[in-house]
Amino acid sequence: MNQNLHKSPVAFVTGASSGFGLRTSLALAREGYQVVASMRNVQNKGGLETAAQEAGVIDRLEVISLDVTDFFAVEMVIQDVINRYGQIDVLVNNAGFAAGGFTEELDIEEWQQQFQTNFFGLVAVTKAVLPSMRERRNGKIINISSISGRIGFPSMGPYVASKFAVEGFSESLRLEMLPYGVYVVLIEPGSYKTDIWSKSIGRVTISPHSAYAKEMNAVLKYANRVAETAPPPDEVIRKIVEVAKSPAPDLRYPVGRGVKLTIALKNRLPWKWWERMVIKQFHKEKRS
C-alpha cells in the first residue's frame, strides 16, 4: 500500500483466532476500521474469516501470523504493518492464556510460559507500536486484563500474577504516553463464555496423590459451572469498540455481572473479612 496515511483507521489485534480477539476484530471491521488480526497459528483463521465473510467485512480484514513470544518477529511484523498502512491507530493486546494450579505443584517453567505470553508478549507488541504513535501524537493501546488483574484467587497464581503485572505496566505506560496523545486503557472482564475456560481446564492436571486434590477438583467444578452459565462476551466487545472510538478514554473499565461490586468490596472491606469470604466460598465448592 505504501501510503502515508490509510484512509480508514487501522486496528491491530493479537490473539484473534477465537474469543475476545475474534469478536473484537469483527466488531472493529464493522465500525469501519481496517483490522489486522494476528494469531499464533494462521491455520486457525477459518472461524474468523467465515464470520467476516458472513458479516460482509472480509475486505476490511487481514489475517497474519504472529507469535507474541517471538520478540524479533513482533518488531518485524509491526513495522511491516506500519509501512504498508501508514499507521496503527488502535492496538488491542488480547493474546493470552490461563494457567492454573497450586503454587507448590507448579513448575517454574509454567510460570515463565504464562508471563512470556500474557506479559512480556504484550510489552513487546506495545513497544513496537509506541514510536509511531508518539510521533503522530495519536493512538489507543487497549490491554485486555481481567478481574483477576485486581483480585487474587486460589489456584490461579500464574494467571493472576500475569494480569496484575499487566495492570501495573498499563498504569505506568499511561502516565508516560498521555503527554503524547496516546491513551493506554485496561478492559477488566469478569467471566464470559469464551474458549479460555475450556482451554485452561484442559491444561490442568491433578495427581490423585496431590495434597490439594480436593481443592483442585472444587476449582475445576466451579470453572465448569462458570463455563456453562457465563454469558456471551457481547458487552466486553461493545466496551472495546467504545474505547477505540472515544477521544479520551479512562484508564480502567471493569465489565460484567458483579465485577464492579466485587472489586469495591475487596478494596473497602478489611482484608481479614475479605479472605474469610473467599475461603468460605472455596470450602463450599469442596463440599458440594
Side-chain angles (χ1 to χ4, degrees):
M1 285 173 196
N2 293 323
Q3 52 197 44
N4 292 329
L5 192 66
H6 195 258
K7 61 177 185 276
S8 302
V10 178
F12 190 97
V13 182
T14 68
S17 64
S18 64
F20 293 154
L22 184 152
R23 291 170 174 84
T24 298
S25 298
L26 290 174
L28 289 172
R30 282 195 200 98
E31 291 291 326
Y33 286 80
Q34 172 63 42
V35 177
V36 181
S38 73
M39 55 190 70
R40 190 164 54 90
N41 185 353
V42 288
Q43 290 179 337
N44 296 328
K45 68 181 180 177
L48 174 58
E49 288 190 339
T50 300
Q53 197 83 50
E54 291 170 357
V57 296
I58 193 72
D59 59 325
R60 291 200 288 275
L61 184 76
E62 179 188 0
V63 178
I64 63 171
S65 172
L66 179 65
D67 179 349
V68 299
T69 67
D70 183 343
F71 304 144
F72 178 74
V74 166
E75 284 280 347
M76 299 289 286
V77 165
I78 293 291
Q79 197 53 56
D80 175 64
V81 170
I82 292 170
N83 288 342
R84 290 189 294 113
Y85 288 100
Q87 80 249 20
I88 292 174
D89 299 280
V90 176
L91 167 63
V92 182
N93 277 312
N94 169 73
F97 69 95
F102 280 77
T103 300
E104 181 184 338
E105 299 182 340
L106 287 168
D107 294 334
I108 287 295
E109 289 74 22
E110 293 177 84
W111 291 81
Q112 289 173 329
Q113 289 168 11
Q114 181 77 105
F115 268 78
Q116 197 76 351
T117 298
N118 290 16
F119 181 67
F120 291 114
L122 178 147
V123 173
V125 178
T126 301
K127 274 176 58 64
V129 304
L130 287 179
S132 170
M133 287 186 174
R134 173 179 50 75
E135 286 165 13
R136 294 177 59 239
R137 302 186 78 84
N138 182 54
K140 307 268 171 49
I141 297 166
I142 303 174
N143 292 333
I144 307 303
S145 182
S146 165
I147 188 174
S148 297
R150 305 287 293 277
I151 296 172
F153 298 99
S155 82
M156 291 178 63
Y159 182 68
V160 167
S162 71
K163 292 300 186 181
F164 264 70
V166 167
E167 294 265 337
F169 166 66
S170 300
E171 278 193 21
S172 295
L173 185 64
R174 172 137 175 149
L175 297 172
E176 291 174 11
M177 300 311 296
L178 268 180
Y180 297 96
V182 178
Y183 286 84
V184 179
V185 178
L186 287 156
I187 305 291
E188 301 168 330
S191 299
Y192 287 92
K193 198 179 286 296
T194 68
D195 293 347
I196 195 167
W197 284 105
S198 54
K199 288 177 182 174
S200 303
I201 291 167
R203 294 179 68 95
V204 175
T205 55
I206 312 170
S207 163
H209 308 296
S210 167
Y212 303 99
K214 286 183 181 176
E215 287 85 351
M216 201 65 238
N217 278 312
V219 169
L220 291 178
K221 195 187 300 180
Y222 172 77
N224 276 310
R225 194 167 71 247
V226 168
E228 290 167 7
T229 60
D234 300 352
E235 61 182 323
V236 179
I237 308 310
R238 284 196 298 271
K239 184 59 69 178
I240 293 169
V241 171
E242 179 189 314
V243 167
K245 296 170 69 177
S246 169
D250 294 336
L251 169 63
R252 284 189 170 90
Y253 291 91
V255 188
R257 187 176 53 211
V259 169
K260 288 181 183 176
L261 175 62
T262 305
I263 292 170
L265 285 173
K266 187 220 172 182
N267 289 339
R268 292 172 190 173
L269 286 177
W271 174 255
K272 283 189 179 294
W273 294 14
W274 173 257
E275 67 185 19
R276 274 201 295 269
M277 284 171 53
V278 174
I279 291 170
K280 184 178 178 183
Q281 178 62 34
F282 198 52
H283 284 291
K284 184 176 163 187
E285 290 290 339
K286 282 167 64 178
R287 293 194 302 271
S288 65

